[in-house]
Amino acid sequence: MSLEELHSIFSVFALPIFDLSSNILRRTSRMADWTECMNYGIHIAREAREVILHAFRIKKAVMLKSSPADLVTETDQRVERMLISAIKAKYPHHKFIGEESVAAGEKLILTDSPTWIIDPIDGTANFVHRFPFVAISIAFAVNKQTEFGIVYSCIEDKLYSAQRGRGAFCNDIPLATSGQEDITKCLLVTEIGAERDQLALATMTSNIHRLLEIPVHGIRAVGTAAVDMCLISTGGADAYYHIGMHCWDIAASALIVSEAGGVVIDTNGSEFDMMARRVIAASSMSVARRIAQAIQAFPCERDDDPRAHPQKAQIEHSTDSGNDVHKKAGGHRRL
Ligand SMILES: O=P([O-])([O-])O[C@@H]1[C@H](O)[C@H](O)[C@@H](O)[C@H](O)[C@H]1O
Ligand SMILES: [Mg+2]
Ligand SMILES: [Mg+2]
């Protein structure tokens, strides 16, 4: 049989077989159901909440990361270790991006593999001061797409969750954004993050000025990016914007907002990129675009920039009802 004849047989029979199998593969990956992982994520988040609730009330050792306002405690580190080891025991092949692991020197790389993106305590400054809004944020991404998100606002006992294509919930009650289209009727939420350099401060304050000038009804800051975003999913606020946060702060809540019917975009109006450290979450595209038009961003290294997170000295201090005692501690990675 000639080579040409072989080729024609191959194209008639073999190709459809190949097509069929690749279709099955595609369909299988489309149908992949991560519900079991999500339920496990909720289960371990509930356990982690107990640790946070206990530590919330007692004296804490506080360490600094990138700035005098970027705090970390032993509880952040403990909760992250606890979550990661529980997940590893059940899903040994899954990957992780954890705030405190990255701070300790681990590389931040999002691959196509199933990856858990974890902020063990979102709102550490609140936690240190006992300001009652702290959250555990857990997102799960496959092929760089978020499949589910869990945000547990620990003190309020509100568990927000969403699975891609299946809606968003708070303590099992379905969520919907306000649907507001008119920026002048909006209550906004933002955060003054941990940046304390002149350009960041000037940009953040001028953004607040520009938005108040529109005018909007008001601007709030709760102290946890994850909960701020969830407030958009409940309709309790109409839009949120933030520059300088990290992927672990907002990966879970971005899905929760989208699944509640909201929109999530970059502050420059382009598609949301969880590594870009810029986000607008809003009740409608018209409100999101109006905010993008009004605000400016200050430069931030991308989370997945391999040059990001260089070493930085760490200072340790203890806090008990606001009386701080500073101590020197070892090296730390800048965030
Ligand atoms: O450090 P952390 O408390 O997990 O997270 C911070 C909080 O979400 C804060 O509201 C936001 O302004 C910062 O940008 C975040 O880094
Ligand atoms: Mg955080
Ligand atoms: Mg944190």
Side-chain angles (χ1 to χ4, degrees):
M1 192 183 286
S2 75
L3 219 88
E4 283 73 25
E5 280 168 330
L6 258 177
H7 182 257
S8 67
I9 291 170
F10 182 80
S11 17
V12 173
F13 297 108
L15 211 61
I17 290 166
F18 171 75
D19 270 1
L20 186 70
S21 61
S22 62
N23 272 340
I24 289 169
L25 267 178
R26 262 200 298 276
R27 221 172 313 132
T28 315
S29 73
R30 259 209 308 274
M31 282 170 12
D33 187 346
W34 302 105
T35 307
E36 186 203 272
C37 291
M38 177 158 126
N39 290 340
Y40 188 61
I42 290 173
H43 169 71
I44 58 176
R46 288 192 194 282
E47 288 183 350
R49 172 180 178 254
E50 296 303 316
V51 175
I52 292 173
L53 284 188
H54 172 75
F56 187 73
R57 299 185 188 98
I58 61 176
K59 185 174 172 176
K60 303 159 187 78
V62 183
M63 294 159 277
L64 306 185
K65 295 196 285 190
S66 65
S67 80
D70 189 7
L71 313 182
V72 61
T73 71
E74 196 274 327
T75 307
D76 296 63
Q77 296 165 340
R78 178 171 167 208
V79 168
E80 182 160 317
R81 277 198 306 272
M82 185 180 154
L83 293 171
I84 292 180
S85 64
I87 298 164
K88 267 188 182 159
K90 199 164 163 71
Y91 304 108
H93 302 298
H94 288 187
K95 305 229 174 307
F96 299 90
I97 294 175
E99 175 178 15
E100 308 313 338
S101 310
V102 171
E106 266 188 27
K107 289 207 181 327
L108 193 164
I109 306 169
L110 181 61
T111 65
D112 286 342
S113 303
T115 303
W116 298 73
I117 303 168
I118 297 173
D119 189 339
I121 300 184
D122 188 51
T124 301
N126 286 354
F127 176 71
V128 166
H129 290 270
R130 298 183 199 146
F131 189 76
F133 298 93
V134 297
I136 300 161
S137 177
I138 302 174
F140 179 78
V142 183
N143 295 323
K144 302 190 179 71
Q145 185 171 39
T146 309
E147 291 291 340
F148 63 78
I150 300 162
V151 172
Y152 200 168
S153 184
C154 298
I155 316 298
E156 301 179 282
D157 195 9
K158 288 188 177 168
L159 195 140
Y160 296 90
S161 63
Q163 200 171 354
R164 191 164 62 86
R166 299 189 188 179
F169 300 84
C170 178
N171 294 347
D172 296 327
I173 296 163
L175 296 172
T177 60
S178 67
Q180 182 58 255
E181 303 251 353
D182 179 349
I183 187 80
T184 67
K185 295 193 172 69
C186 281
L187 186 64
L188 306 187
V189 188
T190 190
E191 284 299 328
I192 307 297
E195 297 81 8
R196 292 295 180 268
D197 63 274
Q198 283 305 313
L199 179 59
L201 291 180
T203 313
M204 285 189 282
T205 46
S206 97
N207 285 341
I208 290 173
H209 191 125
R210 286 155 191 254
L211 290 163
L212 290 174
E213 236 179 359
I214 288 178
V216 295
H217 279 177
I219 303 185
R220 308 283 185 264
V222 177
T224 133
V227 173
D228 291 329
M229 299 258 289
C230 288
L231 287 171
I232 312 310
S233 71
T234 68
D238 305 292
Y240 173 72
Y241 71 94
H242 194 171
I243 298 141
M245 75 298 153
H246 297 279
C247 56
W248 44 76
D249 295 313
I250 44 82
S253 50
L255 183 68
I256 293 169
V257 171
S258 309
E259 288 294 326
V263 298
V264 182
I265 63 170
D266 192 289
T267 57
N268 63 19
S270 65
E271 199 181 324
F272 171 63
D273 171 355
M274 73 158 92
M275 296 293 165
R277 304 183 62 195
R278 298 183 298 263
V279 69
I280 298 175
S283 50
S284 66
M285 189 52 95
S286 53
V287 163
R289 290 216 175 106
R290 184 66 187 87
I291 294 170
Q293 198 189 356
I295 66 173
Q296 288 177 337
F298 50 87
C300 296
E301 274 165 344
R302 287 180 61 83
D303 270 336
D304 55 2
D305 183 334
R307 292 161 304 175
H309 316 292
Q311 290 286 338
K312 175 94 180 174
Q314 172 179 299
I315 314 277
E316 192 177 310
H317 67 280
S318 304
T319 178
D320 187 14
S321 308
N323 296 322
D324 295 353
V325 185
H326 290 256
K327 281 187 273 158
K328 268 195 131 178
H332 208 278
R333 307 261 289 180
R334 184 169 73 87
L335 287 181

